[in-house]
């Protein structure tokens, strides 16, 4: 990948510091250069690969793995034009947390449970060749819904899985899951008649770093959401939802029964918190690829109340170019 322009003189490569063009027989210094993209003149510079993008993006100076670089952050869908090879990294939208699920009737047939946390958006990375690419930024999933895929030409990263929420009246919980993703969503606890401590298993992570380009300076993305908490008024205790996964790890299972009002946390760097009755609903994810928190549930004498799961956060595409 070229970082500057060079010309060969006497078998040596010499860096081009200034560029001129002839106009009416006079050498004119080139101060700015442009190229036409979709009928619009876009400025580019000879010292780095030309990058043009029609959607929302920013450019920042960063250090990645100890090397000063330009980081292009694409946050809205659009068309990318690239003049030379560049490294890319991307993640899909995070999954939504599951709703806390109530039961009906005083017999509590079926079960009541907190919602599982949403999974973080999956990741992908590689080298992008010079060319023109259509980019689609994946959206975060709403409650119970998976995030959508982020695409860069033919490359893609799927969205994190949303937590499944439905009423079960048997003795198995095979369809009651927290979201899988780049980092897994936290598990949640529930109550079932004759089976106290019934639980929603945590989601699975992909088991690899979610730091873009493997650079810890850019921090982990795609955190899982925390699982919802279950409160049993009759026994006066909480079953605390599990923490969302971070940096590619699985989510954690629900916590032991406790009388403290601890709220489950989302994964580090932007996973949503699980809901906790009387203390606050589940919170949405706050950083790229993060999963939303799961909703709470409560048995209060003959009544059952529950809270909604929260949304995941959108995906992102990065280009990294050495300065």
């Amino acid at each position: 990948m070229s970082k500057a322009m060079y010309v060969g003189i006497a078998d040596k490569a010499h860096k081009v510091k200034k560029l001129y063009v002839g106009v009416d027989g006079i050498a004119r210094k080139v101060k700015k250069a442009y190229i036409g993209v979709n009928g619009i003149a876009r400025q580019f510079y000879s010292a780095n690969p030309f990058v043009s993008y029609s959607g929302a993006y920013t450019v920042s100076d960063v250090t990645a793995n100890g090397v000063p670089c330009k980081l292009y952050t694409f946050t809205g869908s659009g068309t990318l034009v690239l003049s030379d090879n560049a490294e890319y990294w991307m993640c899909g939208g995070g999954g939504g947390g599951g709703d806390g699920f109530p039961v009906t009737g005083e017999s509590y047939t079926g079960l009541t449970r907190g919602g599982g946390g949403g999974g973080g958006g999956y990741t992908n990375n590689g080298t992008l060749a010079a060319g023109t690419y259509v980019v689609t930024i994946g959206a975060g999933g709403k409650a119970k819904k998976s995030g959508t895929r982020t695409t860069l030409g033919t490359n893609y990263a799927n969205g994190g899985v949303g937590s499944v929420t439905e009423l079960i009246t048997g003795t198995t919980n095979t369809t009651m899951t927290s979201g899988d993703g780049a980092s897994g969503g936290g598990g949640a606890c529930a109550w079932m008649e004759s089976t106290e401590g019934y639980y929603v298993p945590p989601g699975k992570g992909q088991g690899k770093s979610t730091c873009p380009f493997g650079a810890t300076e850019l921090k982990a993305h795609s955190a899982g959401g925390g699982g919802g908490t279950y409160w049993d008024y009759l026994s006066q205790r909480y079953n605390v939802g599990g923490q969302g996964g971070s940096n590619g790890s699985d989510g954690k299972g629900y916590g032991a029964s406790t009388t403290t009002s601890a709220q489950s946390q989302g994964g580090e760097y932007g996973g949503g918190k699980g809901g906790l009755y009387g203390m606050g609903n589940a919170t949405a994810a706050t950083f790229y690829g993060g999963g939303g928190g799961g909703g709470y549930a409560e048995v209060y004498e003959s009544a059952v109340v529950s809270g909604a799961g929260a949304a995941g956060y959108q995906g992102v595409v990065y280009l990294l170019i050495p300065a």
Side-chain angles (χ1 to χ4, degrees):
M1 177 171 58
S2 348
K3 294 166 60 179
M5 294 180 64
Y6 293 83
V7 62
I9 302 175
D11 296 326
K12 291 185 178 180
H14 293 268
K15 185 176 181 180
V16 177
K17 296 182 178 180
K18 296 179 181 180
L19 190 64
Y20 295 83
V21 64
V23 179
D24 297 329
I26 300 174
R28 303 287 188 181
K29 183 178 178 181
V30 176
K31 295 182 178 180
K32 295 181 180 180
Y34 296 83
I35 189 171
V37 180
N38 297 328
I40 300 174
R42 305 282 189 182
Q43 187 177 359
F44 74 97
Y45 303 89
S46 62
N48 284 308
F50 162 62
V51 177
S52 174
Y53 192 61
S54 63
Y57 78 102
T58 59
V59 184
S60 55
D61 294 311
V62 300
T63 298
N65 297 313
V67 178
C69 298
K70 293 285 186 184
L71 182 70
Y72 289 77
T73 303
F74 304 123
T75 56
S77 300
T79 299
L80 169 67
V81 179
L82 183 65
S83 71
D84 203 346
N85 294 352
E87 300 302 311
Y88 75 86
W89 187 97
M90 60 182 174
C91 67
D99 292 344
F101 206 92
V103 295
T104 57
E106 296 183 9
S107 65
Y108 302 131
T109 55
L111 63 87
T112 243
R113 73 171 181 88
Y122 287 97
T123 68
N124 191 7
N125 65 280
T127 300
L128 200 64
T132 300
Y133 300 88
V134 174
V135 177
T136 303
I137 302 299
K142 296 180 181 180
K144 303 183 290 183
K145 302 296 184 180
S146 296
T148 60
R149 174 182 288 187
T150 292
T151 64
L152 173 57
T154 59
N155 306 295
Y156 64 88
N158 286 327
V161 178
S163 175
V164 174
T165 299
E166 63 182 63
L167 180 63
I168 306 261
T169 57
T171 58
T172 65
N173 62 350
T174 55
T175 61
M176 295 174 58
T177 60
S178 303
D180 293 338
S183 301
C189 194
W191 178 90
M192 184 174 185
E193 189 172 17
S194 77
T195 312
E196 190 172 358
Y198 204 66
Y199 71 98
V200 182
K204 297 291 185 181
Q206 63 184 6
K208 66 177 184 179
S209 172
T210 59
C211 295
F213 312 102
T216 55
E217 300 98 328
L218 301 180
K219 73 184 182 181
H221 289 47
S222 299
T229 291
Y230 163 69
W231 164 249
D232 186 348
Y233 173 81
L234 300 177
S235 61
Q236 290 291 294
R237 67 185 186 186
Y238 289 91
N239 287 300
V240 181
Q243 182 174 338
S246 297
N247 201 20
S249 69
D250 297 341
K252 294 183 180 180
Y254 73 94
S257 299
T258 176
T259 56
T260 62
S261 55
Q263 187 172 22
S264 67
Q265 300 298 302
E268 189 175 14
Y269 302 125
K273 294 181 180 181
L276 177 62
Y277 183 73
M279 300 294 291
N281 291 330
T283 64
T286 58
F287 191 59
Y288 300 121
Y296 65 83
E298 179 194 20
V299 175
Y300 184 84
E301 296 180 338
S302 62
V304 175
V305 293
S306 60
Y313 203 81
Q314 72 166 70
V316 69
V317 172
Y318 294 117
L319 288 186
L320 189 69
I321 299 174

